[in-house]
Amino acid sequence: MFGRLMTRLRECSHSWSAYRRYTSVTAEDVTAFRAIVGPNGVQTDGLDAYNTDWLKTHTGHSELVLRPKSTEEVSSVMSYMNERGLKCVIQSGNTSLVAGSVPIDNEIVLLMGRMNAIESLDTASGILVTQSGSVLQTLEEYVNERGFIMPYDLGAKGSCLIGGNLATNAGGLRFIRYGSLHGSVLGVEVVLPDGQVLDLMSQMRKDNTGYDLKQLFIGSEGTLGVITKVSILCPLKLKHQTVALLSLKSYDHLLKIYDKIRRQLSEYLTSFEMMDALSLEAVVKNLEQSHPLGSHNEFYAMIELSANDKDHMESRLSQVIEELMSEQLISDGTYANDDNHNRFLKLKSYRERIAEGLLRDGYSYKYDISLPLNVFYEIVEVMRERLKDTDCLKVVGYGHIGDCNLHLNITSKAFDKRIKTTIEPFLYEYVAKHKGSISAEHGLGLMKNSYLKYSKPVEAIALMKQIKKLFDPKNTLNPNKVLPND
Ligand code: FAD
Ligand code: 2HG
Ligand code: ZN
């Protein structure tokens, strides 16, 4: 037990003083929770999966998992916990990449997956209303069948839940076209830490009555309230999608291609992603996939287009690709459209599975940053140089270049403190110098909270702490995460 605690302390960014055992759950508490959520809603054994994060770098010691089915049950559970001084971590799909969804110690895990009823989809407006425990992929299929798409798409769609997506303000692959959840979410229902239900379930796109409180819960990472219901605006599904993978020699070429495609294909562009050679290698070699092009190159761009007029879209794409070839900006390429759905999904998977592939190396140091495009890839090269005398295996750069969002990942066989201290805080200083963000989409959770000062001024952090106190004066929800401990 002590050994495990030591490992955890070494790996995470918290100081010793941040760790303490929270109020213990008693047998009477378990009986009381059983009366609220029923016997099937309480689990006290076999909790390893809920105590371990997706990256398998943090292990909590929760002894109790609760699975509510309704807002009323969440409300009663929260009110009870708050009274008793018990701590709670809300867990949806547990795909957090910053250890936000796992306990630090013995917090109760509030599992949202049973709250998965889809209430309605208004086919005139595209507004979907659902409980927050619905799986993203299930929602995508549900709205697809009715002529719509979800306004965002993530590699984790098979596991993550819409409540977790809102709580992390997830970005993903369609951001470039449909923007942030701050724009597409129209309403939320939230249970506050004292059990109060806050009904902000608007289905109106326009509403300027007072402060827009729902925005506070989008990106709050389980620290302000439990999101129990969501209304979200879904775009119309265009009839045809095409994905193209292009290979190229340099980052400079990538910027030129991005510029040209944005200008010439903007009405079709749904995503513009980049990956470097080592990122693609993590999928090809570590996941034993055939190379999508056969020939290797330094960089790859993956572009997704959608339209109702397939012929027009594909002829415009061919024209642009021919121009790029004649300008010697691309060396090779392939494309797939969703007439051949399996081939289409397979091609997209070379981008979506990079995180999974990298993890096969052993340990991934993950950095999810925003940077201006003129220095976007420079940091990958700087890091390679800085880490060349360490035991790291790969330094890779990939991500949502259309949103200035780089995923800088470093891998090694196992966690190595020297690698971590060579990366941090140097990387955060670099990001701050270029006025970027230390977390473009994954949030702060447990792994990045102490670095918030690199992206926000002290005045803003002080206000955030006051907001946390206002909503959660007893610090019931996700204690010691998101905001720095000092
Ligand atoms: P969890 O991981 O369970 O929880 C995340 C946080 O939200 C925790 O702090 C938790 O306490 C809180 N929370 C969960 N549910 C609620 C709720 N109902 N109410 C209040 N708080 C809640 N992120 C991106 O932005 N873009 C990507 O492209 C992307 N791709 C990914 C690909 C992979 C393979 C993986 C593993 C992760 C990826 N992520 C991405 C990161 C992750 O943030 C998202 O997967 C997702 O939004 C998390 O949802 P979840 O249901 O798993 O939430
Ligand atoms: C993605 O875009 C996810 O694939 C995961 O945000 C990024 O693994 C990462 O660092
Ligand atoms: Zn991402």
Side-chain angles (χ1 to χ4, degrees), residues 446-469:
L446 178 63
M447 294 168 80
K448 310 267 162 81
N449 58 344
S450 53
Y451 302 109
L452 178 55
K453 64 177 184 221
Y454 290 99
S455 282
K456 290 289 181 307
V458 282
E459 297 80 5
I461 297 173
L463 273 174
M464 288 184 200
K465 288 186 172 175
Q466 285 179 33
I467 290 170
K468 168 73 175 168
K469 263 214 179 96

Side-chain angles (χ1 to χ4, degrees), residues 313-324:
M313 172 175 74
E314 290 193 347
S315 79
R316 291 284 300 119
L317 176 64
S318 311
Q319 209 180 325
V320 172
I321 286 182
E322 266 170 37
E323 284 172 28
L324 292 172

Side-chain angles (χ1 to χ4, degrees), residues 206-220:
K206 297 183 87 170
D207 172 19
N208 278 351
T209 51
Y211 305 128
D212 190 357
L213 292 179
K214 72 170 180 295
Q215 302 298 355
L216 274 178
F217 297 97
I218 301 173
S220 61

Side-chain angles (χ1 to χ4, degrees), residues 54-55 88-102 110-112 132-134 136 152-157 159-173 181 189-190 217 220-230 273 351-356 366 368 398 400 405 407 440-443 445 477-478 481-482:
W54 191 86
L55 289 168
C88 172
V89 174
I90 310 159
Q91 191 173 102
S92 285
N94 199 14
T95 64
S96 166
L97 295 175
V98 288
S101 50
V102 285
L110 191 70
L111 216 59
M112 301 305 292
S132 66
S134 299
L136 175 58
Y152 62 101
D153 180 26
L154 317 177
K157 57 182 159 271
S159 320
C160 63
L161 314 185
I162 189 168
N165 302 147
L166 261 67
T168 53
N169 186 25
L173 305 170
L181 286 173
E189 176 191 76
V190 179
F217 297 97
S220 61
E221 299 184 56
T223 58
L224 299 182
V226 188
I227 300 167
T228 45
K229 216 195 261 188
V230 181
E273 298 285 312
R351 163 64 187 88
E352 287 177 342
R353 297 186 71 193
I354 297 172
E356 183 192 342
K366 287 203 169 285
D368 158 42
Y398 66 102
H400 319 286
N405 175 188
H407 294 311
E441 53 176 23
H442 300 157
L477 283 178
N478 235 354
K481 308 235 184 81
V482 184

